[in-house]
Amino acid sequence: MRSLKDSIHQTVHFSRTAVKDKVTGKVTYNAWTPVSGKWDAMDAPKIDGYQPNPKSVPEVDVTPDTQSTEFNIMYTAIGKAIVINFVDTENGNSVADTISFNGLVGQKPNIDLTEKENALKARGYVIGDNTIPASVTFSDQAQTYEVRLTHGV
């Protein structure tokens, strides 16, 4: 398992004094101070492209008898899609099935439109410009692009 974030540590310090009887050697302990404390509730740190589980850690009341506690937050990569529409610029209609490329946020898709474009050319369309960035990665935002088509003559 790979750590995506550094651990966050919360500490409550307790102390007490002791008195040793010089004759018997018996040690008597005084009360702990403070009597109790708490570990604060926390939201899981945000990591772009990942979903935390759980999303938060609860507040915990602690006493001198409380054992050290560890909360693990697991992060799952978020899958997203890049959608490409093929649009006839003469009437504004979509002329072919939408193509979706699926991947994880931060990854680069392998966008190959050759087969779809060849099929559209065979139907008489001329492939025009498109709105697909030269370098695109999956993001946590909606990503819809279009390839513009004109009628061949």
Side-chain angles (χ1 to χ4, degrees), residues 1 9 12 22 51 67 75 96 103 108 117 142:
M1 179 175 10
H9 300 275
V12 175
K22 292 181 181 181
Q51 179 68 40
Q67 296 297 310
Y75 288 85
K108 291 185 175 289
E117 289 177 346

Side-chain angles (χ1 to χ4, degrees), residues 70-82:
E70 184 176 289
F71 292 97
N72 289 310
I73 299 173
M74 303 302 288
Y75 288 85
T76 304
I78 300 170
K80 289 294 184 174
I82 292 174

Side-chain angles (χ1 to χ4, degrees), residues 3-153:
S3 179
L4 297 176
K5 282 282 193 184
D6 291 335
S7 295
I8 298 170
H9 300 275
Q10 293 188 42
T11 304
V12 175
H13 294 279
F14 295 99
S15 64
R16 66 181 177 176
T17 58
V19 177
K20 182 177 180 180
D21 185 305
K22 292 181 181 181
V23 174
T24 65
K26 181 181 177 187
V27 178
T28 305
Y29 293 95
N30 294 315
W32 287 101
T33 58
V35 174
S36 65
K38 68 176 181 161
W39 293 318
D40 295 328
M42 295 182 63
D43 290 332
K46 181 173 176 19
I47 301 175
D48 290 338
Y50 290 86
Q51 179 68 40
N53 183 23
K55 292 183 179 183
S56 63
V57 174
E59 177 180 286
V60 176
D61 291 323
V62 295
T63 68
D65 296 325
T66 302
Q67 296 297 310
S68 180
T69 303
E70 184 176 289
F71 292 97
N72 289 310
I73 299 173
M74 303 302 288
Y75 288 85
T76 304
I78 300 170
K80 289 294 184 174
I82 292 174
V83 177
I84 300 176
N85 297 313
F86 295 84
V87 179
D88 184 328
T89 58
E90 294 188 24
N91 60 26
N93 293 331
S94 182
V95 298
D97 293 333
T98 296
I99 296 179
S100 292
F101 296 91
N102 297 305
L104 300 176
V105 172
Q107 288 182 335
K108 291 185 175 289
N110 180 18
I111 298 177
D112 184 358
L113 304 177
T114 306
E115 186 177 324
K116 180 65 81 175
E117 289 177 346
N118 286 341
L120 290 165
K121 288 175 186 176
R123 290 174 47 194
Y125 285 103
V126 175
I127 309 301
D129 62 346
N130 66 64
T131 61
I132 304 167
S135 178
V136 63
T137 58
F138 291 100
S139 80
D140 57 358
Q141 305 297 314
Q143 292 174 278
T144 302
Y145 304 106
E146 57 179 52
V147 174
R148 298 180 184 107
L149 309 170
T150 56
H151 296 192
V153 288

